[in-house]
Amino acid sequence: MTLKKYSAIFIASIILATNLETYNVTFADEQTNTVDQDERNLEEIVVSGFRRTGNKDLPASVSVIGAELVSDLGVQHFEELTHAVPNLNWAGGVSRPRYFQVRGIGERSQYEGAPNPSVGFLIDDLDFSGIGGVATLFDTQQVEVLRGPQGTRFGANALAGLIYVKYQEPTDSFESIFTTTLGSDKTQSYGTVFSGPLSDSLNYRAVIHNSQRNGFRDNVFLNRDDTNGRDESTLRLKLAYDINTDWSANLTSIWVDLDNGYDAFAVDNGFTTYSDRPGQDAQRSVGHVLNIAGELSDSVYFESISGVADSDVIFSFDADWGNDEFWDPVIYDFFSRTDRERQQRSQELRFSSTAKQRFDWVTGMLWTSLEESNLTMDDGNYEGFTFVSRVSRAYQANTLALFGDMNFDLSERTTLNTGLRYEQRDADYTDSNGESYSPSENSVGGQIALNYQYSEQTNLYAKVARGYKAGGFNLGLPAAASNNELLFDAEYLWNYELGLKGNYLADRLGLNASLFYMQRKDQQVQTSTQLDPGNPNTFIFFTDNAGKGKNKGLELEANYQVSDAFELYANLGLLDTEINNFSGNSNGRDQAHAPNYTFAAGGRYNFADNWFARIDVSGKDEFYFSDSHDQISQAYSLVNAKLGYVSDNWSITAWGRNLLDEEYAVRGFFFGNEPALDFADKLYTRLGDPRHIGITFEYHYQAR
C-alpha cells in the first residue's frame, strides 16, 4: 500500500472525527436528562514512558492497555497481549518472546550483534531490554507500547519504540486477591495479592503467582508431553513510604523464575517432536528499584530512580531435533547450550516543573552499566566425526545520557514540544577466540512536535523525531572472520508523524490515529548462515549495514461504549517497509517480521444478572522470516472468547484461546538439517499455541 493510500485513510479519520464532533453535541444534548456528562469523562492516564499525565495531548502513537482490559482478556504473559497492539510483532525462537518488532524494526534472535536492542523493555523502571520474557502480567496496572523512536526518553535501546509494563501500586486500605486457573494442556496457575497499610505512612503490596502448562508438544521418543512445558513463578513486593507531605520513597522488588523447557522444532514442522535431548529456556531475574521524589521548591519537582537487576539465562536445544532411531542408519546427534549472566545498574536524576504555566519542562541525566558474560557449549557427532566447541564472551557497556524536554504554549490551543538527548556509550568486548574491542560512540537524538487542540474533543499533532542505535560487533562468529564481518556501524532514523486523538459521542467513542514515515540511515540488517552443512551448531547470526531503509504506515485505534452493557474496540496497523542499498538478496524487498497489516477487534456484552460474554479476533499478514532468505509465513487470524459470572467479590469465567485451532508460525529458519536430504536448505517453523481452553476463579476482598 502506498503512502498516498495511508494518507487517504488518515485524512478520512480526521473527516470522520470532525463530523462526529457535530454529532457529539447533538447526542449530549439529547442525553442530558438521563446521564450526567461528567460521569462519562474518560479516566486520566499517566503514560509512564513519558512521565506525563494524559494520553490525549501526548504527541505520540501510544497504546495503553489498562488493568481492567488485561484482566478481561485473560492474559497471563505479555506474549498473549501482543496480538492486540497495532504494528507490534514478536519472534518465537524461544519459549517466551524476548525480542519484539515495532513498525517492522527489532531483533529476532539472541546475539544479533552486541546486546543493544532496537525496542526498549521496561518493567516498573527496570530495564529488561532483550530479555523481556519475564513480563508476566498478573496484578498489572497497565501496559504501554510507545511506537517510534524514543530518543529523548530512552535513547539507544528505543530506536523503534518502547514497551513499559507497570504493576499495581500499594493501597492505603487492606485488600486481598486470590485466583486460580485450570485448563487444557495440564494448565494450572495460582496467584495471591495482599495489599494495605503497615503504618500511617507506609503501605505495601505483595504478589505471588505461579503458572504451569505442558507446552503443547508430544515427544514420541521420550514418551513425554512436557518437554516444551512452562513453569513460571513471580514474587513481587512494593513499599510506598510517605516521608512527609512533600516527599515519598517507593521500593519495588521483583523475582521471576521461568523454568521452561524448549522442544519446539521438528523436521516435519508439527507439534510432535523426536528429540532425545530436549532443551531448556530458563531465566531467573531479580530486580530492585528505589524511587525517591518530592518538591525541591514550589516550582521544581525532583525524582531519583535507582535500579539494579541481575539475570541468569540458560538456553539450550537439541540441534538435530531427532534421536538415534530417528536418524538410523546415519549417526547424527548435536546439542547446544548457552549460559548467560547479566547485571544491569542504573541511576536517573530527573528535575521537572511542578505546575503548568505557559511552559513545563523535564531535564535530567541517566547513567547505566550493563555487564554480561556467557558461555556457549556445543557438541555433536556426525558419522563418527565429533564436534566440541566452547566459547566464552564478556561484554560491558557504560552509558551516560543528558536529556531535556519542554512543552511551550504558543497559544491557547497550540503547544510546542521539544526534546533533546545526548548519549555517550563506552563498551568493551573480549572472547575466548582472542577478539577484543573497545568501541566508543556519542549520539544525539530528540524530537520537535506541535500539538493543536482543534476542539474540546479533538487533538492533532505533527512530529519529527530522530532516533539512534549504537554500532557494535557480532558475537559468536568464528575466529577466522574478518574485521569487516565482526564490526557494524551505528544506525540513525528520522521519523515523521501526524496524529489525531479524540473522544466523541459524549465520550463514548475514543479514536486514535497516526500516520508515519521513517527513513533509516545505515540500517542494521540481521542475517544468518550455516557455516558447515553437516553441523547445525554452526548456524550463526550476523549483523551488517544496509545503505538505507524506509518504514511507513498507519495506526488506528477505536473504542466504542455502545451502551452501559455493550462495548466494542477495533485496532488496525498498516505497514510498508523496504531495504535499500544492501548487498544481500533482501535488497529492495520488505524487511523481516514486518507484516503489512495487523488487526484486533472485539467486544464485551453484559447480560442477565452479572453474566458477561466476550469475543476477540486478531490477526496479521504474512511476513518474511529473515533478511537472509525469501521464506514467508502465512497470514492468520485467532479467535478468543470468554463467558463468565461476576459478583461483588468473586468471579468465574470459562475461556478459550485460538478457538478455531488455527495453525500458524511465529518463527522460521531456512537451512539444512536432514542428512537424508543431503542437508538441502528447507524451511523449518515453530508453531504458535493451538487451541487452549480453561476456567478461572477469582476472589477479591477489599476493606471498606
Side-chain angles (χ1 to χ4, degrees), residues 120-350:
F121 201 103
L122 294 183
I123 300 177
D124 271 338
D125 285 316
L126 289 171
D127 185 4
F128 288 101
S129 301
I131 53 172
V134 294
T136 57
L137 294 183
F138 178 64
D139 201 45
T140 296
Q141 178 175 314
Q142 67 186 42
V143 177
E144 307 161 13
V145 179
L146 289 71
R147 290 175 288 264
Q150 306 301 315
T152 302
R153 170 66 181 95
F154 202 60
N157 282 4
L159 176 77
L162 173 66
I163 299 170
Y164 192 102
V165 178
K166 184 173 179 59
Y167 293 124
Q168 293 283 7
E169 297 294 337
T171 54
D172 54 11
S173 61
F174 180 77
E175 72 170 323
S176 62
I177 301 172
F178 172 77
T179 182
T180 183
T181 294
L182 298 174
S184 58
D185 195 45
K186 295 185 180 178
T187 294
Q188 55 182 347
S189 67
Y190 309 93
T192 302
V193 177
F194 294 100
S195 182
L198 291 173
S199 68
D200 291 340
S201 57
L202 179 63
N203 298 331
Y204 76 97
R205 191 175 192 92
V207 177
I208 303 173
H209 188 262
N210 174 261
S211 177
Q212 300 178 37
R213 67 180 67 167
N214 278 357
F216 303 104
R217 299 297 191 278
D218 290 313
N219 187 307
V220 294
F221 177 73
L222 298 176
N223 194 27
R224 290 171 53 189
D225 61 2
D226 61 350
T227 54
N228 196 53
R230 298 168 182 167
D231 186 351
E232 302 169 340
S233 300
T234 301
L235 297 176
R236 290 196 301 272
L237 176 65
K238 284 194 173 189
L239 298 174
Y241 178 57
D242 291 330
I243 301 173
N244 54 42
T245 56
D246 295 326
W247 287 81
S248 64
N250 296 276
L251 175 66
T252 298
S253 294
I254 299 174
W255 178 86
V256 180
D257 185 11
L258 307 182
D259 187 13
N260 296 346
Y262 191 65
D263 191 20
F265 281 89
V267 293
D268 59 1
N269 295 328
F271 288 106
T272 299
T273 62
Y274 309 92
S275 56
D276 55 357
R277 294 193 284 174
Q280 184 180 15
D281 184 21
Q283 179 175 336
R284 180 173 294 178
S285 295
V286 179
H288 311 279
V289 59
L290 175 64
N291 185 306
I292 300 175
E295 294 186 2
L296 293 176
S297 67
D298 292 340
S299 58
V300 179
Y301 186 79
F302 170 76
E303 193 171 7
S304 169
I305 305 173
S306 308
V308 298
D310 294 342
S311 297
D312 294 328
V313 182
I314 299 174
F315 183 62
S316 62
F317 55 93
D318 189 320
D320 63 276
W321 304 337
N323 57 76
D324 291 345
E325 295 178 11
F326 186 84
W327 295 119
D328 187 64
V330 178
I331 298 174
Y332 184 52
D333 183 24
F334 286 85
F335 189 81
S336 178
R337 170 173 171 149
T338 298
D339 294 354
R340 302 171 61 185
E341 294 183 1
R342 169 172 160 166
Q343 297 84 39
Q344 180 88 27
R345 307 289 184 264
S346 64
Q347 176 61 57
E348 183 172 359
L349 301 176
R350 183 188 298 267

Side-chain angles (χ1 to χ4, degrees), residues 51 148 397 491 500 528 548 582:
R51 299 279 176 187
E491 175 181 349
L500 174 149
S528 58
K548 59 184 179 179
F582 183 56

Side-chain angles (χ1 to χ4, degrees), residues 525-527 546 578-580 582-592 624 626-630:
V525 179
Q526 290 85 34
T527 60
E578 188 174 329
I579 301 174
N580 294 314
F582 183 56
S583 58
N585 64 356
S586 57
N587 184 59
R589 49 145 256 212
D590 284 351
Q591 298 164 21
Y624 288 100
S626 172
D627 294 322
S628 306
H629 52 76
D630 291 330

Side-chain angles (χ1 to χ4, degrees), residues 39-55:
E39 293 179 358
R40 288 198 182 145
N41 290 335
L42 298 181
E43 181 182 358
E44 199 77 8
I45 297 173
V46 177
V47 180
S48 303
F50 278 87
R51 299 279 176 187
R52 296 188 184 279
T53 300
N55 182 26

